[in-house]
Amino acid sequence: MAARMNTLSLLNPSHVSLRPRDSRFSHRPLRFYSSPNPNRRALFCTCSTTNGESFVLTTPLYYVNAPPHMGSAYTTIAADAVARFQRLLGKKVIFITGTDEHGEKIAAAAMAQGSTPLDHCNVISQAYKTLWKDLDISYDKFIRTTDSKHEAIVKEFYSRVLAKGDIYQADYEGLYCVNCEEYKDEKELLENNCCPVHLKPCDSRKEENYFFALSKYQKSLEEALNKNPNFVQPSFRLNEVQSWVKGGLRDFSISRASVDWGIPIPNDRSQTIYVWFDALLGYISALSDEQEQPDLLNAVSSGWPAALHLIGKDILRFHAVYWPAMLMSAGLSLPKMVFGHGFLTKDGMKMGKSLGNTLEPNELVHRFGTDAVRYFFLREVEFGSDGDYSEERFINIVNAHLANTIGNLLNRTLGLLKKNCQSTLVVDSTTAAEGNEFKDNVEKLVDKARMHYENLSLSSACEAVLEIGNVGNFYMDERAPWSLFKQGGTASEAAAKDLVIILETARIIAIALLPVTPSLSWRIYEQLGYSRDQFDAATWVSFFFHTDASTTHHQHLMGDTKWGGLKGGQVMAQPKPVFARIENQTEDVDKGVAVGKTMKSKGKKMKQAQQVAGA
Ligand code: MSP
């Protein structure tokens, strides 16, 4: 019933704003048209997307022990692609990221820098924000766990769980990995009690702590996982989570007596709240409004539960076991999905701050440009699996896909249009493609890309969009409009239509790849003669239909991935490359992972490439 009412309210245009409030962050306007073909069935329904329900999406809150590296940037790039895609579908997205600033590891990092913990956190947190700007990350909320509103919400949450009878005091003795900020089971450790992730020996610790009664939630968790097997994605990670739960859940310590840098336990200032119990709540405190008195229920009412937590596989237990149990204890809803992606690796080892084998995202962006970095990691690494970085492969892929298949197709078509048609389209793209099955092929690939984006198969989504570029190039080469123009008469008219067809294809590619390459997509749109406002208002085509007791309402939400956007008479911009090839510097290209040192030596040459690409 609720869904029906939402659908009906959606039919009333007065409920729909036709202009985005903020071009980058607000949800996109939807345009309403009667469906030309009422029998055309929806592949998915956007009914629930415009009813005011938010699509809350999170990245992990990053530790600020050191500046961001490519591993941390990877989750955020993927999250940004998902957020942008969901906005294209018309959803009101709240994209949350931030920094995890408490705990022993951060205090130690600050001390090593000769800094106070807060000064240190301010610097590193800012480094994350700067990188997100450079990577075109369109987050809506950036939460720092040192924010006072966060602290208030953590304390309130703690008190709720305490009131539920789920917190008690006990002695604990165990092996602790400071880098993981986690007590470890002896059986999961390597020789000399080394942590398998950080390869450093764990410390033996004994303390009186406050404990969370995780074991109480064993049954409820099992049930929740059985009831909603999609809760953990990709599906192969669900088995891992189920086996942890089946293996028996043990209560865990949620306070530290030896750590000052943290949120004090309410009513016991001698202990601070365990950094994970604190940080997970950032997903909720981020939702709380700046003006409001921070309060758990207010925050929850602003979008909780999250639709999706994107995380790396190393922190799955915290998100798929501890966090749901904490939420159950506090009487709050569980997030709808936790997706654990794989690692970017070097020599098979997780790239990370603690191991010191990182790849510098700033340098990559500086040298290759934002779109190249975003595209490469999303296209090359199957989302969910591990992936190794190779500079040679980076250059080859980016050149082949972005510079050649997409950039060059647009550039040569615009060149021909300038020479033969004064840069003006002769007919609407719909007329140009009448009776031409090429248009259907493009639309099929668009649907394929959408399905992959929806399933978080980001690499396959890129592949489907690239395939549109491939069919466009094939069409161009087969039709050879340059020689048709030479023949004149009807051949020349046909060639002018072919150019419209190719440019419409490029336009669709721009929107379909926008979640991954927002800057490149804008440069393409600009070349096609659109304004920034038009680009910012773009949506992904979708259909829905709704039947109530007496009538069937067929609605067709027109979007910009649908064929027919370019109109006759539209004037294109002067052709200039939208993506410059990166020159391959084979003599000093590292065939494996390019670590910071290798990359520094090539900084200057690559900066040139980035500037051209950004032109
Ligand atoms: N602070 C915790 C998260 C708290 S969320 C409430 C944390 N921070 S982290 O900075 O160590 O890691 C953040 C994310 O970056 C994790 O999802 C982790 O998997 C991811 N990555 C860190 N190194 C990575 C790679 N080398 N490759 C891919 N992702 C990696 O954990």
Side-chain angles (χ1 to χ4, degrees):
M1 184 61 190
R4 178 197 292 177
M5 285 174 59
N6 294 331
T7 308
L8 289 175
S9 71
L10 206 148
L11 300 179
N12 178 353
S14 66
H15 290 257
V16 179
S17 114
L18 288 175
R19 295 221 65 76
R21 272 167 297 146
D22 173 315
S23 56
R24 225 159 62 103
F25 302 135
S26 66
H27 72 283
R28 286 160 196 269
L30 293 168
R31 279 174 264 154
F32 293 83
Y33 297 84
S34 290
S35 173
N37 177 0
N39 295 322
R40 187 160 183 175
R41 293 268 144 165
L43 283 179
F44 71 100
C45 178
T46 54
C47 306
S48 65
T49 67
T50 47
N51 61 1
E53 192 189 309
S54 304
F55 184 93
V56 173
L57 155 79
T58 69
T59 71
L61 308 188
Y62 298 98
Y63 282 134
V64 290
N65 57 318
H69 60 85
M70 199 54 228
S72 20
Y74 176 63
T75 322
T76 312
I77 291 172
D80 189 61
V82 176
R84 287 178 186 271
F85 171 70
Q86 294 292 338
R87 288 191 195 110
L88 279 177
L89 293 184
K91 295 194 190 172
K92 181 180 177 290
V93 171
I94 304 180
F95 172 14
I96 296 173
T97 188
T99 40
D100 185 355
E101 307 191 0
H102 288 131
E104 194 173 340
K105 165 152 105 167
I106 309 305
M111 199 190 287
Q113 297 289 317
S115 184
T116 66
L118 189 58
D119 285 346
H120 174 82
C121 291
N122 289 342
V123 170
I124 306 287
S125 187
Q126 186 53 49
Y128 273 95
K129 284 190 175 166
T130 306
L131 178 63
W132 298 160
K133 188 165 184 289
D134 292 346
L135 281 169
D136 275 344
I137 305 297
S138 60
Y139 63 82
D140 299 287
K141 307 268 184 190
F142 189 102
I143 184 74
R144 297 181 58 182
T145 58
T146 49
D147 286 350
S148 56
K149 71 172 185 183
H150 173 76
E151 186 162 330
I153 280 172
V154 172
K155 285 180 170 163
E156 192 184 340
F157 185 91
Y158 182 94
S159 304
R160 261 193 184 220
V161 174
L162 183 68
K164 182 79 183 286
D166 287 346
I167 294 179
Y168 63 93
Q169 264 181 303
D171 282 333
Y172 194 78
E173 189 165 4
L175 291 161
Y176 195 72
C177 171
V178 180
N179 286 308
C180 291
E181 290 279 18
E182 188 182 20
Y183 278 106
K184 299 281 184 186
D185 267 350
E186 228 166 296
K187 59 177 185 292
E188 58 182 296
L189 299 178
L190 308 175
E191 236 174 78
N192 297 326
N193 290 335
C194 276
C195 162
V197 182
H198 297 102
L199 306 179
K200 288 184 183 139
C202 295
D203 296 345
S204 176
R205 300 267 170 99
K206 188 175 176 193
E207 284 189 349
E208 187 183 46
N209 288 156
Y210 290 89
F211 277 73
F212 172 65
L214 179 67
S215 55
K216 258 178 78 176
Y217 293 92
Q218 168 103 25
K219 205 156 181 314
S220 320
L221 266 173
E222 275 172 15
E223 279 168 15
L225 293 171
N226 289 340
K227 226 166 77 191
N228 180 10
N230 285 336
F231 177 62
V232 178
Q233 290 290 331
S235 51
F236 59 84
R237 298 209 192 284
L238 176 65
N239 304 337
E240 202 179 353
V241 172
Q242 274 172 328
S243 75
W244 289 331
V245 179
K246 279 206 186 85
L249 295 180
R250 291 200 317 198
D251 299 350
F252 67 98
S253 150
I254 55 165
S255 73
R256 296 292 181 267
S258 54
V259 180
D260 293 338
W261 181 239
I263 300 175
I265 293 273
N267 302 324
D268 183 353
R269 298 196 62 84
S270 70
Q271 303 229 5
T272 54
I273 296 182
Y274 172 43
V275 62
W276 270 100
F277 196 87
D278 158 354
L280 285 162
L281 279 155
Y283 297 144
I284 292 180
S285 63
L287 290 168
S288 124
D289 221 301
E290 292 309 324
Q291 285 83 39
E292 280 168 12
Q293 186 73 2
D295 143 357
L296 190 55
L297 284 186
N298 256 334
V300 163
S301 68
S302 304
W304 193 257
L308 176 63
H309 288 316
L310 279 186
I311 57 163
K313 62 182 179 181
D314 53 333
I315 54 176
L316 189 59
R317 192 194 305 252
F318 293 103
H319 285 80
V321 179
Y322 291 12
W323 181 223
M326 286 164 60
L327 289 164
M328 285 175 185
S329 170
L332 301 176
S333 315
L334 307 195
K336 291 181 192 147
M337 187 185 284
V338 174
F339 186 100
H341 65 68
F343 288 155
L344 301 186
T345 57
K346 176 186 189 297
D347 302 330
M349 294 301 294
K350 178 190 175 206
M351 189 188 287
K353 292 171 271 202
S354 305
L355 286 180
N357 59 349
T358 56
L359 183 62
E360 287 298 330
N362 284 314
E363 292 205 35
L364 280 187
V365 169
H366 218 73
R367 294 166 62 204
F368 303 129
T370 304
D371 292 308
V373 174
R374 293 173 60 112
Y375 180 79
F376 174 76
F377 287 102
L378 296 184
R379 171 69 180 85
E380 178 69 358
V381 183
E382 196 189 318
F383 201 47
S385 309
D386 292 352
D388 234 41
Y389 171 82
S390 137
E391 187 164 304
E392 191 178 28
R393 184 129 182 94
F394 184 109
I395 294 174
N396 289 343
I397 291 230
V398 160
N399 277 346
H401 297 187
L402 302 185
N404 292 354
T405 305
I406 297 177
N408 201 20
L409 176 67
L410 174 67
N411 197 249
R412 61 188 178 134
T413 312
L414 287 177
L416 281 172
L417 192 80
K418 182 177 179 197
K419 189 165 161 210
N420 299 288
C421 311
Q422 292 85 48
S423 292
T424 306
L425 304 185
V426 290
V427 281
D428 290 358
S429 51
T430 314
T431 314
E434 242 159 44
N436 190 337
E437 67 175 17
F438 176 81
K439 156 184 174 288
D440 303 328
N441 291 339
V442 170
E443 287 191 337
K444 275 186 205 138
L445 288 165
V446 167
D447 280 346
K448 201 168 162 187
R450 183 187 61 199
M451 183 192 74
H452 288 309
Y453 277 124
E454 282 182 336
N455 295 336
L456 304 178
S457 307
L458 301 174
S459 174
S460 304
C462 292
E463 200 177 332
V465 180
L466 247 283
E467 193 51 29
I468 303 176
N470 288 334
V471 296
N473 277 292
F474 186 77
Y475 184 86
M476 179 86 152
D477 293 342
E478 200 183 43
R479 297 283 303 162
W482 50 90
S483 52
L484 293 177
F485 276 123
K486 285 191 191 125
Q487 291 168 34
T490 50
S492 181
E493 279 167 27
K497 280 187 183 175
D498 286 335
L499 299 188
V500 176
I501 287 174
I502 300 293
L503 292 171
E504 177 70 5
T505 307
R507 191 193 63 74
I508 290 173
I509 290 173
I511 302 303
L513 205 57
L514 182 158
V516 179
T517 58
S519 300
L520 170 63
S521 293
W522 159 235
R523 291 198 295 274
I524 296 173
Y525 243 55
E526 196 178 23
Q527 288 273 285
L528 297 174
Y530 289 101
S531 70
R532 181 77 209 194
D533 280 353
Q534 286 170 311
F535 176 71
D536 287 336
T539 62
W540 196 294
V541 68
S542 56
F543 305 89
F544 77 94
F545 60 94
H546 162 71
T547 309
D548 63 23
S550 53
T551 333
T552 300
H553 305 275
H554 299 286
Q555 290 292 319
H556 175 192
L557 307 185
M558 280 293 283
D560 299 277
T561 48
K562 178 111 189 83
W563 192 276
L566 286 176
K567 302 292 177 211
Q570 190 157 326
V571 181
M572 306 289 104
Q574 288 304 305
K576 68 177 180 199
V578 284
F579 195 96
R581 272 183 73 79
I582 299 167
E583 291 316 317
N584 204 341
Q585 299 159 358
T586 39
E587 72 285 0
D588 53 15
V589 163
D590 178 3
K591 297 269 192 302
V593 172
V595 289
K597 232 202 250 153
T598 325
M599 296 173 60
K600 275 197 182 98
S601 62
K602 298 193 291 280
K604 223 186 194 165
K605 284 187 202 166
M606 284 306 195
K607 193 165 176 196
Q608 281 171 337
Q610 192 266 342
Q611 279 164 351
V612 183

